[in-house]
Amino acid sequence: MTATTAASPGAPSDTSALRAKRISRRRNTRAALLFISPWIIGFLVFTAWPIIYSGYLSLTNYDVINDPEFIGLDNYQRMLEDPKIRLALWNTFYFTVLQVPLYVMVSLALALLLYKAGRSAGFFRTAFFLPKMTPPVAVGILLLLLFNGQDGLINTVLGWVGIDGPAWTTDPTWVKPGLILISLWSVGSSVIILLAALQNVPQEMYDSARVDGANWWQQTFKITLPMISGAIFFIFIVNTIAAFQTFTEAYTAYFGAGNTTYSNDAALFYVIYLFQQGFEFLNMGYASAMAWLLFLIIMVFTAVQMTISKRFVYYEGEQR
Amino acid sequence: MRPAPVRWLVLVAAAGLTLAACASGTGNDNAGDNDNPDDSTVEGSSAFDPDAELSGNMTIMGFALGDEIAEIRYDDAVAAIEPVDVSLAEGELDIQQFLSAMATGEPPDLIRPNRDQIGTFASRGAIMPLNECVDGEGIDVSMYREAAVEQVTFEGQLYAIPEFNQVQITMANADLLDEAGLTLDDVDGSDWEAIEAATEAMYEQDGGRLSVIGFDSKLPEFLPLWVRANGGQLLSDDGRTAHLDDPKVVEALEWAVGIYELQGGFGTVKAVRDSADFFGNGNQFAAGELGAMQFEQWYVNVLNDVSPDAPLAFTTAKDRQGQPIAYSSGSAWAISADADNPEAACRFIKTMTAPETWMKAAQARADARAEDGKPFTGLLTGNAVADQEIYDALVEPSGDAKWDAAIEATYEANEHTTSLPANPADAEFKTAWQDAVNRVLNGQQEPQAAMEQAQQEAQSALDEAWAAWDED
């Protein structure tokens, strides 16, 4: 009897227990929402609203000073006819396609070296991370100093091994390669992430592999890289987005105050042109449309990367 | 297999990162107030009167303290508007910051942009016409330099008061000239063939690398100077019609680019130019790395400070008829259209640019220089009366002929200035011709084709901007 009563869904004691559970859950939910409300409010005000509003502005003629004037899809139509959009996109794709793989490879190489560094790892970890603290504006200036074709350090070092270095900062062909190389200055944060991932790979796997006679290369390609593929993919995604939005270093070096603006064409990245349209030419509606095009491009690239990643990326705990 | 929520989370994060970084700001609830710049003037300009009592707060953007010329004038101007509480955001005018302030309805009362930005700000209604300010406070506009006033006058209305003035003079390394058997007359701009010959005579290569620039025609920035020297102009006097494909413009560009080609190309010259210790004692003149160039007069002070014994020579820049010529540029003071305290802003401007204030600041500079045993090389302002008073009272022979020549050239150039007229698309116009010059410099286009493309781009931007203005 008791057992029957206890099993009955409509029994009074069971109902009150459920109600108490629901109340407790609601209370927990309210508390959780209360705790994260600063973030939610911040997200709505400073991220969601600007995103939505920029979508509206992209349909207007807006100079920041006067009221936006609705013009429909004119800004998007104008983008199709703007040769500088094509040039800026080409420069940005060029930079992204070369910079991202190089950045990941250098990060990985340094992380693998650090992993083997033993006691001195702490020192090198700090040493690799410190450049990340350099403000991007300073990195832009550094680019002009290090890569000066006349007496920059890079060409001086190349000269020691008999290579006549190019005019990195003044020859349009070499402007983007120079910017790609200087971007490696801030590789430190990725190195730290990859190092943390490396340290999480179970040592037993290496022990087993060694017992089976695997050499370093086999261990690296069969164990290490698959096991840290999640971290590599994260760096790949984040760095791709950052590369599409590259701005500060190139702007400081080639477009900033007092600069002669030479090499405009070679260093005119998409976001630099967007900035020019928005804040120099006061075409904020057009700049907003450009932002949405970039958003779509990044979404497509991210979706493609994620689709491809299903075949290569391993997450701990998942079944393959 | 990674669960779907994780994939969506990454996509949403990517979207957020992208758009948050590119989102272009907030709404402009107050923008409607600016539709007609005259309205805002009328609303906020009831008491432009030198005897009016001022009160409240005033904010300034685009001005930096740091030397006696700035500090003394600032102190005087602040004293002139007491008891107004002045708030100064020090530094160069950050356009992004200014526009953001406009968009949020909290613009600074007073801004200090470059004069070539006034047309854009005025046409958009970001700054107010100063007619009432000038009339009410009794500011004598005729004492300001004509070329400078033209640059801040848009559609017949004065929108700003000129502050400093910059002009170019010819600077050369006397030793390199002597060794090549040349004089300043060969590089002052009056004879373009002579400059070519001087360039070839003075430039040097060391192991296949350029080690001495013979002459630097300072492209792309100085194209307007060479065009004027050639009797042309980039823009019509009314600021509406671009003349970028004018034969005189193309000819000036061909010649100025040719100067680089004589020395191995612009990339080569610029690499040497960029490697110079421009503000240090290893500057290109002191190091013997540059024969001659036209450059702004403020650099005379730098050279006098860091390399007083360098073998320098100075004279005015000249046009092809042999007449002194200079391209005028510099800062100006303007009042935001939505300024809360335009009366204080107006009196502040008046004090900052008054002859007696300039004189006081110049005296302090001259005293400081004398204390350091260095000559006072003059001070160029947008105020012709102030310039004359300062020159008469404070500029004295230094005992060193080269610095005296520099001062003489500076003041002579200041009497022969020209400038681009204010227009509502000045940034796009400048970008169009500078991009064209860059395309020629990096070998992408020939001068004629580059300037034809620039003409189309510039005229299109001008037409669009003027159409918007004319509609209003």
Side-chain angles (χ1 to χ4, degrees), chain A residues 15-281:
Chain A
T15 308
S16 60
L18 277 174
R19 190 182 301 135
K21 213 171 185 178
R22 273 203 301 272
I23 290 169
S24 168
R25 199 179 296 149
R26 263 193 227 125
R27 198 175 293 147
N28 284 342
T29 305
R30 272 202 299 271
L33 283 172
L34 190 68
F35 274 112
I36 62 169
S37 60
W39 183 88
I40 293 175
I41 293 166
F43 174 78
L44 291 174
V45 173
F46 298 114
T47 304
W49 170 243
I51 289 173
I52 295 164
Y53 196 71
S54 78
Y56 163 66
L57 289 179
S58 75
L59 305 174
T60 69
N61 183 10
Y62 179 49
D63 65 3
V64 188
I65 297 160
N66 297 293
D67 281 337
E69 175 197 354
F70 187 78
I71 55 169
L73 296 173
D74 283 7
N75 283 326
Y76 293 93
Q77 175 72 29
R78 182 177 158 193
M79 276 168 31
L80 294 174
E81 297 157 4
D82 185 346
K84 277 207 164 182
I85 289 273
R86 290 193 289 275
L87 173 68
L89 279 174
W90 159 247
N91 285 339
T92 307
F93 282 131
Y94 180 115
F95 179 83
T96 303
V97 166
L98 289 183
Q99 191 264 355
V100 175
L102 186 64
Y103 188 93
V104 174
M105 280 192 286
V106 171
S107 302
L108 187 59
L110 290 175
L112 287 168
L113 281 174
L114 269 184
Y115 186 57
K116 295 285 180 191
R119 279 191 203 167
S120 55
F123 168 76
F124 286 110
R125 198 168 49 214
T126 308
F128 286 146
F129 192 78
L130 273 179
K132 180 72 181 170
M133 310 302 285
T134 315
V137 171
V139 177
I141 302 294
L142 197 66
L143 163 77
L144 294 178
L145 295 174
L146 288 178
F147 286 81
N148 181 282
Q150 186 71 9
D151 62 359
L153 183 64
I154 302 295
N155 277 6
T156 302
V157 172
L158 289 174
W160 292 342
V161 291
I163 298 172
D164 189 17
W168 299 92
T169 57
T170 56
D171 181 343
T173 310
W174 288 99
V175 164
K176 279 189 284 291
L179 283 162
I180 289 167
L181 290 177
I182 200 73
S183 74
L184 302 179
W185 181 262
S186 58
V187 84
S189 55
S190 299
V191 173
I192 300 300
I193 291 169
L194 288 172
L195 184 62
L198 284 172
Q199 285 166 343
N200 278 338
V201 179
Q203 196 58 40
E204 302 80 39
M205 298 179 86
Y206 293 114
D207 295 340
S208 303
R210 273 195 289 271
V211 169
D212 291 341
N215 60 26
W216 185 86
W217 287 102
Q218 286 167 324
Q219 288 175 45
T220 299
F221 282 96
K222 299 288 184 186
I223 299 173
T224 308
L225 292 183
M227 289 301 288
I228 65 167
S229 56
I232 294 174
F233 179 59
F234 168 76
I235 291 170
F236 213 88
I237 289 269
V238 169
N239 206 49
T240 301
I241 295 170
F244 272 116
Q245 296 179 354
T246 190
F247 175 81
T248 312
E249 292 86 347
Y251 190 84
T252 306
Y254 297 109
F255 300 88
N259 201 295
T260 58
T261 74
Y262 180 70
S263 300
N264 264 5
D265 287 355
L268 184 73
F269 293 124
Y270 192 83
V271 178
I272 290 178
Y273 188 45
L274 188 156
F275 179 86
Q276 283 184 331
Q277 286 290 347
F279 290 103
E280 291 179 13
F281 306 157

Side-chain angles (χ1 to χ4, degrees), chain B residues 93-115:
Chain B
L93 182 67
D94 181 335
I95 303 299
Q96 189 176 355
Q97 193 183 3
F98 171 55
L99 294 175
S100 301
M102 290 287 298
T104 56
E106 297 287 338
D109 295 282
L110 198 52
I111 60 168
R112 182 174 169 267
N114 283 322
R115 294 203 289 266

